Amino acid sequence: PPPPPESIAAFPDDGRGLSDRLDDMERKLITSAMVTTNGNIAEAARLLKTDRGNLYRRMRRLGIRGGGE
């Protein structure tokens, strides 16, 4: 196969799997939305194009505190 384009960073072989990497990315997105909205769950959910219940579930699963918890 052809080599990857130069603009793609080398894959970090840190032993973590896809699920861990996706959790990290999701945690960063949710945390960023929470900071942007000053901790307002409803606004963060709108920003992330999801509903509050789904955002609360994801936050609980990822260990993110906020929204009066």
Side-chain angles (χ1 to χ4, degrees):
E6 290 180 29
S7 63
I8 298 176
F11 186 80
D13 188 12
D14 57 7
R16 296 180 320 136
L18 178 61
S19 291
D20 289 337
R21 292 171 192 276
L22 290 173
D23 285 351
D24 286 348
M25 180 56 71
E26 189 172 14
R27 195 174 286 108
K28 288 176 186 174
L29 288 169
I30 292 172
T31 301
S32 177
M34 293 297 290
V35 168
T36 299
T37 63
N38 294 313
N40 185 311
I41 295 287
E43 288 295 320
R46 273 192 279 282
L47 188 63
L48 294 166
K49 309 262 190 280
T50 191
D51 59 80
R52 284 184 311 160
N54 187 35
L55 182 54
Y56 273 120
R57 281 188 298 278
R58 289 172 182 266
M59 289 173 67
R60 190 170 27 253
R61 181 178 60 80
L62 296 167
I64 300 171
R65 296 186 55 99
E69 290 183 14

